[in-house]
């Protein structure tokens, strides 16, 4: 990487700063998923006892688990979205709709989705199948979608005119054809460069339309 901060183009510095914020958001969201699961399980464990997986097969316990998870997600959503005051609702349906909007925006889930997921998982493979790791796997797609959306947001200021400087910054001049690249490709180079601590390799670009083709030995001799 360049030794001096001033040597890094401003548009790249801005992307790095926004990308770092993206990483913090994703880490926080993954942590929230883990905490929500633990809150749900804790809701059905008697003090001083261990979880009996069979307890998850009881409908009333499933409700307790989901209610506790939703409560945790709503709390985190309000913190993240800076919702300072609780809304007052005349009926429960309006309150549920409002909470589902918060829940969906923050976690990609709704209360009904959580209930169906827990019920379906347990019905198929028993209470022992609703583990922490399995639940985190269920949230993986939302985390990936969120990451993609945040990456697009972080790169929103980048234009075609920045591609060449990004290729130069990532030391990929011999690996890519700038004329075939789009902004999204340049962003991928920046992420590879950061991930590889200053290295974009030919292997990571293999199969990309904008990757330079290797010269055949016969052609190289001409």
């Amino acid at each position: 990487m360049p030794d001096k901060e001033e040597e890094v183009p401003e548009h790249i510095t801005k992307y790095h700063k926004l990308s770092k914020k993206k990483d913090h958001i994703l880490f926080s969201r993954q942590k929230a998923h883990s905490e929500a699961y633990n809150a749900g399980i804790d809701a059905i464990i008697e003090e001083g006892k261990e979880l009996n997986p069979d307890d998850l097969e009881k409908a009333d316990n499933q409700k307790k688990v989901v209610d506790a998870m939703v409560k945790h997600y709503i709390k985190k959503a309000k913190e993240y979205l800076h919702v300072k005051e609780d809304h007052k609702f005349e009926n429960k349906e309006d309150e549920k709709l409002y909470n589902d909007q918060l829940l969906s925006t923050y976690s990609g889930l709704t209360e009904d989705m959580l209930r169906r997921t827990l019920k379906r998982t347990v019905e198929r493979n028993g209470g022992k199948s609703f583990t922490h790791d399995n639940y985190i796997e269920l949230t993986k797609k939302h985390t990936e979608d969120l990451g993609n959306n945040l990456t697009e947001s972080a790169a929103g200021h980048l234009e075609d005119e920045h591609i060449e400087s990004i290729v130069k910054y990532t030391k990929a001049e011999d690996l890519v054809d700038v004329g075939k690249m789009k902004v999204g490709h340049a962003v991928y180079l920046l992420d590879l460069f950061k991930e590889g601590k200053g290295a974009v390799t030919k292997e990571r670009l293999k199969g990309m339309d904008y990757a330079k083709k290797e010269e055949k030995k016969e052609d190289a001799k001409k």
Side-chain angles (χ1 to χ4, degrees):
M1 287 188 180
D3 295 328
K4 300 178 181 179
E5 183 69 20
E6 57 268 25
E7 293 179 1
V8 181
E10 184 179 352
H11 53 275
I12 294 177
T13 298
K14 182 176 180 179
Y15 175 75
H16 283 323
K17 288 180 179 178
L18 293 174
S19 182
K20 191 171 184 179
K21 290 182 180 179
K22 175 203 74 174
D23 292 341
H24 289 168
I25 291 173
L26 288 177
F27 179 81
S28 175
R29 202 60 47 85
Q30 290 168 328
K31 183 171 179 286
H33 286 310
S34 180
E35 291 171 344
Y37 173 86
N38 291 333
I41 296 301
D42 286 345
I44 63 170
I45 297 179
E46 294 183 29
E47 187 175 352
K49 294 186 178 181
E50 297 291 332
L51 172 69
N52 179 351
D54 292 343
D55 289 343
L56 282 165
E57 298 177 19
K58 301 174 182 176
D60 58 336
N61 280 338
Q62 289 183 18
K63 183 179 186 307
K64 290 178 183 178
V65 169
V66 172
D67 286 348
M69 292 178 74
V70 168
K71 183 178 180 180
H72 182 79
Y73 277 130
I74 294 298
K75 176 177 178 291
K76 300 301 291 186
K78 288 181 177 179
E79 291 174 358
Y80 178 70
L81 298 170
H82 304 293
V83 177
K84 296 181 179 179
E85 298 181 4
D86 289 335
H87 287 239
K88 302 300 180 182
F89 299 91
E90 294 183 2
N91 60 66
K92 287 293 183 181
E93 288 302 315
D94 288 343
E95 183 177 5
K96 182 179 182 300
L97 180 60
Y98 174 75
N99 285 338
D100 268 348
Q101 288 177 325
L102 283 177
L103 189 58
S104 179
T105 299
Y106 182 76
S107 68
L109 301 164
T110 65
E111 181 177 337
D112 290 336
M113 286 171 63
L114 279 171
R115 292 191 191 285
R116 290 196 301 270
T117 295
L118 175 54
K119 182 178 180 181
R120 184 168 59 246
T121 300
V122 171
E123 285 179 345
R124 288 177 177 175
N125 301 299
K128 65 182 184 299
S129 64
F130 192 67
T131 64
H132 175 275
D133 288 347
N134 286 345
Y135 178 69
I136 296 303
E137 183 65 24
L138 290 172
T139 67
K140 188 175 180 180
K141 186 180 186 308
H142 170 257
T143 301
E144 290 176 349
D145 290 344
L146 176 62
N148 290 335
N149 290 337
L150 291 174
T151 295
E152 287 186 14
S153 179
H157 64 286
L158 296 176
E159 304 286 350
D160 289 342
E161 63 193 55
H162 297 135
I163 293 175
E164 188 170 356
S165 64
I166 290 173
V167 171
K168 182 178 180 181
Y169 171 79
T170 57
K171 301 178 174 63
E173 297 100 318
D174 296 333
L175 301 175
V176 300
D177 184 339
V178 175
K180 295 181 179 179
M181 293 183 67
K182 297 180 180 180
V183 171
H185 303 146
V187 171
Y188 180 62
L189 288 186
L190 285 172
D191 289 343
L192 281 182
F193 194 67
K194 181 179 70 172
E195 176 188 323
K197 295 181 173 58
V200 175
T201 64
K202 179 172 60 178
E203 287 71 22
R204 296 300 297 273
L205 297 175
K206 191 174 182 179
M208 301 296 183
D209 293 338
Y210 54 90
K212 284 186 177 179
K213 308 298 181 184
E214 288 189 34
E215 289 186 349
K216 295 180 180 179
K217 292 183 179 179
E218 294 78 4
D219 295 335
K221 292 177 181 179
K222 294 179 180 180

